[in-house]
Amino acid sequence: MGISGGIAAYKVPILVRLLVKAGAEVRCAATRHALQFVTPTTLETLSLAPVYSDLFETGEPRTTHHVSLKDWGDMMIVAPATANIIGKAACGIADDALSTLILAFRKPLLICPAMNSDMLRSPALQHNMELLRSYGARLMPTVCGELACGTTGDGRMAEPEEIVRYAESMLADEQGQGSGLRVLVTAGPTYERIDPVRFIGNFSTGKMGLALARAFADRGVEVELICGPMHLTVNHPLIHRTDVESAREMYEAATRLFPSCNGAILAAAVADYRPESQSQTKLKKEGSEGMTLRLTQNPDILASLSAMRKEGQIVAGFALETDNAMENATAKLQRKKIDFIVLNSMADAGAGIGTDTNKITIIDSDGTTKAGNLKSKADAAADIAEHLLSKIHR
Ligand code: CTP
């Protein structure tokens, strides 16, 4: 554990405790400023080892801790990581115990930034984070919420539980315990612009798509997650997220990423139509007459991926139906020539858009169906992920 001087350091004892509970041995290295926020006694009590914070510590004259600790640890988590320590790590500056250790550490490195939103947005910090990524470090996304400076915004450190989960999957991934599989998932709505301030969209929140991405990632599968506009965030080292706005952007991202995947499950609520033309200026209302908006059809991403798939690639979709659910879903499965379709019936209470639960039926191309009970979206996603993975021949 590397700890630098931010208010989020008060959460580090909890993080150390969780790591120890998860079976890890922990050693702490802290900057002088970090020890203003959390005491060495607390850290030493929880980690059962001295805190390394002084390069010139007396006692063992020939021991260079930054060298012995770098070999000792399997991974290093820097939390909280201030803009200062990120800058030093990115530029190779080693002027105290922690920065020297980071520079010498050549194993998996997870950096958990925490700072004020303006600092986070600064081009210098963003550039430094990009540099660290290019050197192989992982950066834990920050979270929006109340900040120590009294404002609300992006910049909070991820919660200790999230960091532990992330670190565990990161370590499993680095140690080659992944499945070697990759799956594409689409999630959320699409927005089709009418003019600079208006769009055609739908009520999809992206919850089901994100639950699916997590279900695959938890099974060691790498995920290419393509998200329409949504507020939800996802933190997992195996999930690579691409954000898009419109159906055409989603189509482009999906057709680009699909060839390197073993399968795809499309959970996005894609707009079937978009305005024929987009006005560059805000449309004005004219008189009291109604107005007509001409629409043109969007590409069908699911049908396109099915058409371009190579031997062995599995393609699956969703069917959100309000009536004649089974007939409509089966017709969709056949029309789009996919391996299976997940039927979401809006007629079932607790199922569908925005809810935390779902009731699904999986219909296979050979006609077999698997009906599920009402369960959490996470559990429904696990069933779907298992079903898709069982179809991939390894
Ligand atoms: N889908 C897609 N691209 C589109 C429209 C839909 O990839 N342009 C995918 C969705 O992600 C979902 C599946 O197709 O997995 C079913 O979407 P749905 O809109 O219910 O089906 P449609 O074919 O559009 O049929 P309809 O709107 O007539 O019900």
Side-chain angles (χ1 to χ4, degrees):
M1 275 297 320
I3 309 148
S4 61
I7 179 65
Y10 85 89
K11 291 186 181 169
V12 170
I14 299 168
L15 180 51
V16 173
R17 176 105 187 80
L18 290 172
L19 287 167
V20 170
K21 257 186 147 173
E25 277 182 67
V26 182
R27 297 284 179 275
C28 296
T31 62
R32 216 161 28 88
H33 289 163
L35 299 180
Q36 298 281 323
F37 295 98
V38 58
T39 73
T41 316
T42 310
L43 296 171
E44 290 179 1
T45 309
L46 292 168
S47 66
L48 303 174
V51 173
Y52 172 52
S53 61
D54 184 356
L55 264 177
F56 301 104
E57 195 172 3
T58 51
E60 298 166 75
R62 270 188 291 277
T63 308
T64 39
H65 278 61
H66 64 281
V67 177
S68 58
L69 274 180
K70 82 167 170 65
D71 293 329
W72 177 86
D74 296 308
M75 82 175 294
M76 182 167 181
I77 303 173
V78 184
T82 57
N84 187 42
I85 200 74
I86 290 173
K88 285 188 196 177
C91 302
I93 294 171
D95 64 353
D96 64 1
L98 179 58
S99 54
T100 310
L101 177 59
I102 295 175
L103 188 63
F105 195 76
R106 309 260 33 92
K107 290 187 246 175
L109 175 63
L110 174 61
I111 309 239
C112 308
M115 67 196 73
N116 159 277
S117 9
D118 290 328
M119 289 170 85
L120 186 68
R121 273 200 300 270
S122 91
L125 189 272
Q126 287 295 326
H127 180 68
N128 286 337
M129 296 211 293
E130 216 31 68
L131 270 177
L132 284 173
R133 264 189 215 108
S134 73
Y135 298 151
R138 307 274 192 135
L139 278 108
M140 183 91 193
T142 45
V143 180
C144 279
E146 274 177 44
L147 300 170
C149 50
T151 57
T152 301
D154 192 9
R156 280 169 68 100
M157 187 176 82
E159 290 302 321
E161 291 78 7
E162 282 269 304
I163 297 177
V164 174
R165 222 175 303 135
Y166 195 101
E168 280 178 333
S169 353
M170 180 175 153
L171 211 51
D173 186 31
E174 302 274 354
Q175 291 171 348
Q177 292 167 8
S179 63
L181 297 176
R182 182 180 299 167
V183 166
L184 183 144
V185 178
T186 64
T190 63
Y191 285 2
E192 311 298 326
R193 283 180 187 238
I194 298 170
D195 68 14
V197 295
R198 303 182 181 99
F199 61 85
I200 298 174
N202 58 68
F203 294 120
S204 168
T205 54
K207 275 184 190 165
M208 194 61 215
L210 258 58
L212 270 169
R214 252 184 237 118
F216 282 111
D218 286 346
R219 286 161 177 75
V221 177
E222 251 185 273
V223 181
E224 291 296 347
L225 173 65
I226 306 173
C227 297
M230 63 168 87
H231 300 297
L232 301 176
T233 56
V234 62
N235 287 331
H236 198 294
L238 290 180
I239 302 178
H240 315 292
R241 174 172 175 162
T242 304
D243 286 300
V244 297
E245 183 180 280
S246 65
R248 279 192 297 179
E249 285 173 15
M250 191 173 274
Y251 169 83
E252 266 155 37
T255 47
R256 175 168 51 81
L257 294 167
F258 181 59
S260 65
C261 294
N262 302 87
I265 172 125
L266 306 196
V270 185
D272 288 326
Y273 297 93
R274 65 176 182 276
E276 202 170 66
S277 61
Q278 254 180 42
S279 171
Q280 296 307 311
T281 52
K282 190 177 165 206
L283 293 177
K284 293 283 175 206
K285 63 175 167 294
E286 284 162 22
S288 56
E289 307 259 310
M291 85 173 275
T292 303
L293 199 59
R294 282 198 64 82
L295 302 177
T296 183
Q297 204 155 11
N298 272 325
D300 188 317
I301 305 167
L302 186 55
S304 307
L305 295 193
S306 168
M308 70 187 272
R309 72 164 119 180
K310 299 252 162 48
E311 178 89 30
Q313 280 182 308
I314 303 297
V315 178
F318 273 75
L320 182 64
E321 305 293 343
T322 52
D323 52 290
N324 293 333
M326 281 302 271
E327 295 77 18
N328 285 339
T330 309
K332 230 168 248 183
L333 165 89
Q334 289 162 351
R335 195 169 66 241
K336 303 197 188 196
K337 299 191 176 65
I338 55 177
D339 294 286
F340 68 90
I341 198 153
V342 182
L343 167 63
N344 243 189
S345 175
M346 292 279 278
D348 292 319
I353 289 178
T355 57
D356 288 322
T357 50
N358 212 351
K359 190 171 169 188
I360 54 155
T361 304
I362 299 178
I363 310 170
D364 256 320
S365 53
D366 65 7
T368 53
T369 61
K370 233 192 255 177
N373 303 321
L374 186 70
K375 19 178 115 169
S376 70
K377 281 196 170 161
D379 289 344
D383 292 347
I384 299 166
E386 292 286 352
H387 193 76
L388 192 145
L389 292 175
S390 73
K391 292 188 165 289
I392 296 176
H393 300 294
R394 296 181 219 188

